[in-house]
Amino acid sequence: SGGIQNTLVYNNTVYISSNTKGAGIVDFPADNTGNSYIYDTKIYNNIIATAQGKKVIDIPIPSNEWTFKGNCYWTYGDQIEIAWNRKTYTNLEEWRNATDQEALNGNPVGFEVNPKLIKPGDGCTIGDPNRLASLKNYELQQDSPLIDNALHLKELFKIDPGSRDFYGTILPQFSGYDIGACELIQR
């Protein structure tokens, strides 16, 4: 009844393993006309990482309702694949130029770099929400290029990112926000 509307997806770390179905971000046409039930979806400051052979984005029939800004795209052991409007792009710049996604005021935003997660794909499934902070394999390493490189959501889009990250760390730690679910603490 109206679909998914006015959705903000920000500061997450998504990892798609080789034995997981789908892509990092997926939209499936909702009916036989190819129309989607997803409207006004904004994807900001996320890490979307996949194992080899998996797409970072798979949106076959995108509406103009999708907005991607300030995200990191990475496929371990291979080039990224972005399936968009029935075409597959194999790098961020090509997709950005064709769609104006990952651009802000005419300037490129977003990254196609190794996010330097501690040990992606080596995590476990946690059924107890009190143990979420034990997912340390998806934290950023000290030399991650994503540290202090997130878009400032409050200044740019009036979105309050909250006062703590996924792990309970106070935001921000240094001169800016980090991309993904983890705000790195100097160790």
Side-chain angles (χ1 to χ4, degrees):
S1 65
I4 300 169
Q5 302 176 38
N6 305 317
T7 305
L8 296 171
V9 179
Y10 57 91
N11 295 101
N12 294 283
T13 300
V14 176
Y15 178 77
I16 302 298
S17 67
S18 58
N19 59 357
T20 302
K21 286 188 175 188
I25 304 288
V26 179
D27 184 16
F28 298 99
D31 58 33
N32 59 6
T33 65
N35 294 324
S36 174
Y37 286 132
I38 297 178
Y39 308 99
D40 194 24
T41 301
K42 294 173 176 60
I43 313 290
Y44 299 140
N45 292 342
N46 299 283
I47 297 170
I48 305 165
T50 67
Q52 190 171 10
K54 296 293 183 175
K55 292 177 176 69
V56 291
I57 296 173
D58 189 0
I59 303 178
I61 306 171
S63 67
N64 60 0
E65 305 278 339
W66 284 94
T67 303
F68 290 82
K69 306 275 186 241
N71 301 289
C72 174
Y73 306 92
W74 188 251
T75 296
Y76 291 93
D78 206 351
Q79 60 193 11
I80 67 169
E81 288 187 30
I82 298 172
W84 184 268
N85 201 23
R86 297 190 173 112
K87 180 175 177 166
T88 299
Y89 300 93
T90 56
N91 65 65
L92 177 58
E93 185 177 356
E94 179 185 27
W95 181 55
R96 180 186 294 126
N97 291 338
T99 65
D100 205 33
Q101 296 291 345
E102 291 298 349
L104 185 62
N105 301 323
N107 297 310
V109 294
F111 299 86
E112 183 181 344
V113 296
N114 183 342
K116 296 199 175 178
L117 300 171
I118 290 177
K119 205 170 182 185
D122 199 25
C124 58
T125 301
I126 294 180
D128 178 358
N130 294 320
R131 294 188 55 228
L132 290 175
S134 69
L135 289 171
K136 301 292 185 194
N137 292 341
Y138 298 94
E139 289 184 0
L140 299 175
Q141 294 179 33
Q142 295 287 330
D143 61 343
S144 171
L146 305 182
I147 297 168
D148 293 341
N149 276 317
L151 296 175
H152 197 296
L153 298 178
K154 197 166 196 168
E155 286 178 6
L156 293 169
F157 308 112
K158 297 180 179 25
I159 298 168
D160 184 353
S163 61
R164 296 187 180 269
D165 75 356
F166 177 86
Y167 297 96
T169 304
I170 293 173
L171 296 172
Q173 284 291 304
F174 302 108
S175 62
Y177 294 89
D178 299 348
I179 296 173
C182 170
E183 183 76 12
L184 185 72
I185 301 172
Q186 195 72 304
R187 293 187 175 131

